[in-house]
Amino acid sequence: MRAVTDFADYELLDASAGERLERWGNIILIRPDPQIIWDTPKQNPLWKKAHARYHRSSSGGGHWEAYRKVPDVWQIGYKDLRFNLKPMGFKHTGLFPEQAVNWALMERILRGLGRSADPFRVLNLFAYTGGATLACLAAGAHVTHVDASKGMVAWGKENTRISGLADRPMRWLVDDCMKFVERELRRGHTYDAIIMDPPSYGRGPGGEVWKLEEQLGRLLERTAQLLSDRAVFFLVNSYTGGLSPTIVRYMVELEVGKGRKGAVLADEIGLPVTDRGMVLPCGNTTLWLAHRALPFMDKSL
């Protein structure tokens, strides 16, 4: 498992009885996590001094309970990148800190292989608030950021601005990712690197229903055709419990790796739990890497 070890502004302090105790900058939050099935004493005093706790509802959704004043928006940083955070519906804050291991990897590859005169073209699908977008922009790439949520795209633009990257070459698109891929194929456009972080379930801007288990194969097959002759990586994140890492790896080998010189790697990513001496799994990453990009890969994969 690859774990985040260099995110000074985020810390998973403790985990017990279905909850995380987290530090986001100087804000302490308690959020539910169904993977935390052990029930051990909550000895960290911050359990009783958190700013807010998210309570799930038995009928779906939930709500935040504030114990101390929580800013409407606050910022944290990862290296030179800056992110706006806020408590959202369904427990989120606008950032998945475990993804920092992938941001660092993508930046290493793009910086190591890139040329300023001919920047790599990166496509980020289901791009959310832009963590991967920012990392690729910082590495000198031209990024096309696609998400079905207008609010998430606006949030990503703001993160780019506060990170000092607003002058970098990029496109921001509110669109259904599958439909966008199909149009790009008709246009004959290609990309040198592709990132996708598809949800388990969702709806497009026109109400289109998305179920990952039903549509991942076609999405991979169609999107892989957008890779250019100088492609360097294709990265897929998955949080869907019904899809094991082995299944996703097989699908990436079948749809992306076939006929291309490179390797397909897969692993869990996670967050160290300070008080437990363990790493909490937070999803899976499957990655096709061109042979020339392999030296930049973490030795753990």
Side-chain angles (χ1 to χ4, degrees), residues 25-258:
N26 60 0
I27 302 297
I28 306 299
L29 300 178
I30 298 172
R31 299 192 300 154
D33 189 321
Q35 293 191 108
I36 302 170
I37 60 175
W38 53 92
D39 189 353
T40 49
K42 295 180 176 180
Q43 297 177 336
N44 192 312
L46 291 175
W47 281 107
K48 298 180 180 179
K49 297 180 180 179
H51 288 78
R53 175 185 245 126
Y54 188 87
H55 297 280
R56 275 193 170 137
S57 168
S58 59
S59 59
H63 69 279
W64 288 95
E65 179 183 9
Y67 304 126
R68 301 161 61 190
K69 182 171 176 55
V70 179
D72 292 336
V73 179
W74 74 99
Q75 286 185 17
I76 65 171
Y78 174 72
K79 298 183 179 179
D80 294 331
L81 307 180
R82 303 295 299 175
F83 302 95
N84 278 340
L85 304 179
K86 58 185 176 182
M88 300 166 60
F90 200 64
K91 79 176 183 178
H92 297 304
T93 64
L95 193 68
F96 294 95
E98 65 272 10
Q99 287 296 328
V101 292
N102 288 329
W103 305 338
L105 171 61
M106 291 183 283
E107 189 168 349
R108 285 200 306 272
I109 294 171
L110 294 171
R111 286 189 186 277
L113 297 178
R115 300 184 299 274
S116 58
D118 188 16
F120 285 117
R121 301 180 304 277
V122 177
L123 173 61
N124 189 8
L125 298 171
F126 309 95
Y128 198 49
T129 61
T133 293
L134 268 62
C136 294
L137 288 173
H142 181 295
V143 182
T144 296
H145 175 114
V146 186
D147 197 277
S149 168
K150 183 177 180 180
M152 292 301 104
V153 171
W155 195 335
K157 288 182 180 180
E158 182 61 15
N159 285 340
T160 304
R161 185 191 67 78
I162 64 177
S163 295
L165 298 169
D167 61 339
R168 302 298 174 92
M170 66 189 84
R171 291 195 297 162
W172 300 94
L173 300 169
V174 179
D175 205 344
D176 176 88
C177 289
M178 189 72 240
K179 291 181 179 179
F180 174 79
V181 168
E182 295 288 0
R183 286 197 298 273
E184 289 293 86
L185 286 171
R186 293 194 294 270
R187 293 166 182 149
H189 292 171
T190 59
Y191 296 89
D192 307 310
I194 295 175
I195 307 154
M196 62 171 66
D197 201 341
S200 300
Y201 178 86
R203 291 185 180 274
E208 305 88 347
V209 175
W210 166 269
K211 291 183 179 180
L212 185 62
E213 293 94 333
E214 297 176 3
Q215 301 188 54
L216 181 59
R218 176 169 173 76
L219 177 65
L220 290 174
E221 183 267 328
R222 301 300 284 164
T223 307
Q225 296 181 48
L226 293 176
L227 286 173
S228 71
D229 292 339
R230 66 168 190 167
V232 288
F233 66 78
F234 190 112
L235 186 148
V236 183
N237 288 306
S238 172
Y239 298 91
T240 303
L243 289 175
S244 74
T246 301
I247 293 299
V248 179
R249 177 175 182 164
Y250 174 73
M251 294 178 73
V252 171
E253 288 174 341
L254 181 67
E255 304 294 357
V256 181
K258 186 177 180 180

